[in-house]
Amino acid sequence: MKPKRLLQIIGAVAIINMLSRLIGFFREAVIGYQFGTSMEADSIALAYTLPNFFYIVVGGAITTAFISVYSKVNDPLEQKRYLERIFGWLTIVLVVFTTALVFFSDQVILLLFPGLGEAEFQLTTDLFRVMAPSVFFLILSMWLTGLLNVNDRFTWTATSTLVLNGSFLLIAVLFYPLLGAYAHAWGALVSAFFMAAFLVVLIRRHQLFHFRIRLEKSPEMWRTVKMAVPIMLGGATLQLYFLIHRVFASWLESGYVAALNYMSKLVQMPQSILMMAVTMVIYPLLARKVAAKEETGIRALYAKGIQMMGMMIVPVSVFIMFYAEEVIRVIFQYGNFSAQSTELATPLLQILVIGMFFHAANMYVTRFYYAYEHSVFPVAMSLLSVLGINVGINLLLIQPFGAAGLAWGTSLSAICNFLLLLIGLKSVLKWKKDKTSQSSHFVLKLTVLVILFSGMLYSWKSVIVIPNAYISLIVGGAVSTVGLFLLMKLLRFEEVDAFVTKIKKKVGKRE
């Protein structure tokens, strides 16, 4: 594939993915509008926990392993048989598994969320029973997107998630007056079916697979299973945070599950978009340098990526901490999401945003371990942070601080995970310490920037009080942008100096 064509595809996929994420986030805002931080909002979030978890974690692991194995099968006839085998076994397992979820819905919800009251438990169980069959369509769809990807149909894959999120949102809005909370349960199921049907039609039309079932054992099937298990463990980190949030929050008063869900998704949005921007630029360069064994270039690339994320994510985090209430009022405070809901959610957002840079950085740093084929250490550190440090902090802080304690558990464990990964760069990847101290110099400058930027925002908000949330956010954003630029210029950030020089050159050419 030509570089220009590749860049066009990456750009198209990035735009479609961003639109899909925005629609998915807007669905959360719709739940806030319809139910606020009520018992119904909690039940919807809890009921969709497992379908979403299985879709991303299990479906993602199976698909990644499939792509790796399929790409190494050179004989077209063997490729066809491998497709028939994996489709056959995956279909059988998913039918049995989803049937069990439907019949044992009460036991599954009781096991995961034992702190629910009787009414909330019943509603959550009823919603989950409707949603459970979506697991079949979601995981199957994830595998089908892998089949599209190995055939270079990347835009179709991205479009399928747009079909999922778009139809989910449409059903939840249109049928809410008739079905209430159950509109989201049926939205989850029907949208998953639509996505699967969309993918099946495309694949059959272009004759990529004829969906024949072959229930046979083969070395390729066993390799797929062995590869999928560690990938599943490594990819579960972020979803485990969400799951643990909801398990612990089920013991709290109604509304906290929903509040944690809204704020987690809000923090994830800028983190995902900014992370995508860095990864799209950095990771292709990393792959080439690892192949060429350019150790110096790889470390320089690592430092550059961390610096780029620090410059983009950390100032955004500081701004959100000071304008958390305004952000929530502008995005969520409509319909049944009241001022009381905003008051409940604001401290959670302020705590969760502390970990925003570290979640993104953890995703970024682990790519360097994977590039060197050292996957065990980052997976182990992620699981230690989520299941060990995070759960420990939750147990320690939930009693005195409630939902805020759970938010602290998420942010602090992300910080610990990042520190453990940094230690591993020296002990596992055998990277030597940066003798030029460029990284230390950047960290010092970034720390000073955060202190000065925080002081500026604190002073501004103390002196200028704007009651209207929209105006406050717009004016605050403008002041913050100008102030941040001047501070970065004062502290001589190379990226800002390069930007100013570039602008001057363009102006000079026009004159």
Side-chain angles (χ1 to χ4, degrees):
M1 188 179 294
K2 295 180 179 179
K4 185 177 180 180
R5 173 62 177 162
L6 181 60
L7 288 174
Q8 289 174 342
I9 292 174
I10 291 174
V13 170
I15 291 170
I16 296 171
N17 279 335
M18 192 175 299
L19 181 59
S20 180
R21 286 179 182 274
L22 288 172
I23 292 174
F25 179 74
F26 186 64
R27 189 179 70 238
E28 301 295 333
V30 167
I31 296 174
Y33 176 85
Q34 294 171 340
F35 302 103
T37 50
S38 63
M39 180 192 76
E40 289 83 359
D42 284 356
S43 293
I44 292 169
L46 292 173
Y48 196 57
T49 300
L50 277 185
N52 193 54
F53 181 88
F54 289 131
Y55 169 51
I56 295 174
V57 177
V58 179
I62 292 171
T63 302
T64 304
F66 158 75
I67 291 173
S68 179
V69 174
Y70 182 84
S71 301
K72 296 178 177 68
V73 179
N74 297 319
D75 184 4
L77 182 60
E78 282 303 314
Q79 282 186 336
K80 178 183 175 182
R81 289 174 178 170
Y82 174 56
L83 287 176
E84 292 171 353
R85 291 187 189 106
I86 195 168
F87 174 66
W89 285 111
L90 185 61
T91 300
I92 295 296
V93 171
L94 288 179
V95 167
V96 173
F97 183 62
T98 52
T99 302
L101 289 178
V102 172
F103 278 100
F104 296 100
S105 296
D106 290 18
Q107 291 80 358
V108 171
I109 297 301
L110 182 61
L111 178 65
L112 286 176
F113 314 116
L116 297 177
E118 184 177 348
E120 190 171 0
F121 170 78
Q122 191 59 55
L123 178 58
T124 304
T125 302
D126 291 342
L127 293 174
F128 177 68
R129 190 174 288 112
V130 176
M131 292 181 183
S134 68
V135 172
F136 173 86
F137 298 110
L138 290 170
I139 295 180
L140 183 64
S141 295
M142 183 67 86
W143 174 69
L144 293 175
T145 62
L147 178 57
L148 289 174
N149 287 340
V150 295
N151 286 280
D152 296 334
R153 268 52 172 206
F154 303 105
T155 53
W156 292 357
T157 297
T159 305
S160 69
T161 60
L162 197 60
V163 170
L164 174 70
N165 287 329
S167 57
F168 195 158
L169 176 62
L170 190 63
I171 293 168
V173 171
L174 291 180
F175 290 92
Y176 166 70
L178 180 65
L179 300 175
Y182 289 90
H184 292 270
W186 286 106
L189 176 57
V190 175
S191 62
F193 171 78
F194 282 165
M195 178 171 66
F198 172 78
L199 291 168
V200 168
V201 169
L202 283 176
I203 290 170
R204 286 182 64 87
R205 180 178 296 174
H206 292 270
Q207 299 182 349
L208 300 178
F209 180 49
H210 296 286
F211 295 94
R212 294 190 183 95
I213 289 178
R214 185 186 292 267
L215 297 178
E216 299 174 348
K217 297 179 182 179
S218 71
E220 290 79 16
M221 286 299 302
W222 178 237
R223 282 167 55 198
T224 304
V225 173
K226 287 197 300 182
M227 192 178 299
V229 173
I231 294 172
M232 194 182 305
L233 293 174
T237 304
L238 187 58
Q239 295 306 311
L240 282 174
Y241 275 119
F242 291 146
L243 178 60
I244 291 168
H245 269 176
R246 293 164 189 178
V247 170
F248 279 94
S250 68
W251 293 95
L252 301 174
E253 296 178 8
S254 295
Y256 281 108
V257 171
L260 281 167
N261 180 56
Y262 298 143
M263 296 307 103
S264 296
K265 296 295 176 61
L266 183 56
V267 168
Q268 201 180 354
M269 272 299 294
Q271 168 191 317
S272 300
I273 293 172
L274 294 173
M275 181 63 192
M276 185 189 301
V278 173
T279 304
M280 283 178 61
V281 176
I282 295 293
Y283 202 63
L285 296 175
L286 170 63
R288 289 197 293 268
K289 290 184 180 296
V290 170
K293 297 182 180 181
E294 298 177 14
E295 295 297 324
T296 304
I298 292 170
R299 293 171 198 176
L301 195 61
Y302 161 81
K304 191 67 175 177
I306 289 290
Q307 290 174 18
M308 288 172 64
M309 281 194 293
M311 288 178 57
M312 291 189 292
I313 297 177
V314 172
V316 172
S317 302
V318 174
F319 177 81
I320 293 175
M321 285 188 67
F322 281 93
Y323 282 87
E325 182 179 345
E326 289 87 345
V327 169
I328 296 170
R329 285 168 61 188
V330 167
I331 296 176
F332 285 104
Q333 195 173 308
Y334 309 98
N336 287 313
F337 198 102
S338 61
Q340 184 180 2
S341 299
T342 297
E343 184 180 352
L344 183 149
T346 297
L348 303 181
L349 177 58
Q350 290 173 322
I351 298 168
L352 287 170
V353 81
I354 294 172
M356 186 161 69
F357 165 77
F358 298 98
H359 285 298
N362 290 338
M363 291 171 61
Y364 177 74
V365 176
T366 53
R367 291 176 179 269
F368 284 80
Y369 284 92
Y370 293 152
Y372 281 93
E373 298 186 10
H374 287 284
S375 59
V376 175
F377 180 81
V379 169
M381 294 305 98
S382 296
L383 293 177
L384 172 64
S385 300
V386 178
L387 300 179
I389 298 171
N390 181 35
V391 171
I393 295 173
N394 288 346
L395 290 170
L396 186 66
L397 299 183
I398 189 171
Q399 189 65 35
F401 300 109
L406 304 183
W408 276 116
T410 300
S411 291
L412 292 176
S413 60
I415 295 171
C416 291
N417 192 7
F418 180 66
L419 295 176
L420 290 170
L421 290 173
L422 290 187
I423 292 172
L425 292 177
K426 183 178 179 181
S427 59
V428 177
L429 299 188
K430 308 299 182 184
W431 283 10
K432 296 179 181 178
K433 189 175 180 181
D434 184 7
K435 296 180 180 180
T436 62
S437 298
Q438 290 182 353
S439 298
S440 301
H441 182 60
F442 177 80
V443 171
L444 179 62
K445 285 204 300 184
L446 187 62
T447 303
V448 174
L449 175 66
V450 168
I451 294 171
L452 294 177
F453 188 49
S454 300
M456 184 196 77
L457 289 178
Y458 177 80
S459 302
W460 172 260
K461 292 209 74 179
S462 299
V463 175
I464 307 297
V465 179
I466 304 176
N468 186 283
Y470 288 91
I471 297 175
S472 177
L473 205 55
I474 292 171
V475 174
V479 170
S480 298
T481 302
V482 174
L484 181 64
F485 180 82
L486 294 175
L487 288 173
M488 294 179 79
K489 180 67 177 170
L490 178 67
L491 293 171
R492 296 186 178 278
F493 277 82
E494 294 177 3
E495 292 78 4
V496 175
D497 290 337
F499 176 76
V500 172
T501 303
K502 187 175 181 180
I503 296 296
K504 287 181 178 179
K505 286 182 179 179
K506 286 186 177 180
V507 172
K509 286 181 179 180
R510 290 177 183 177
E511 292 177 351

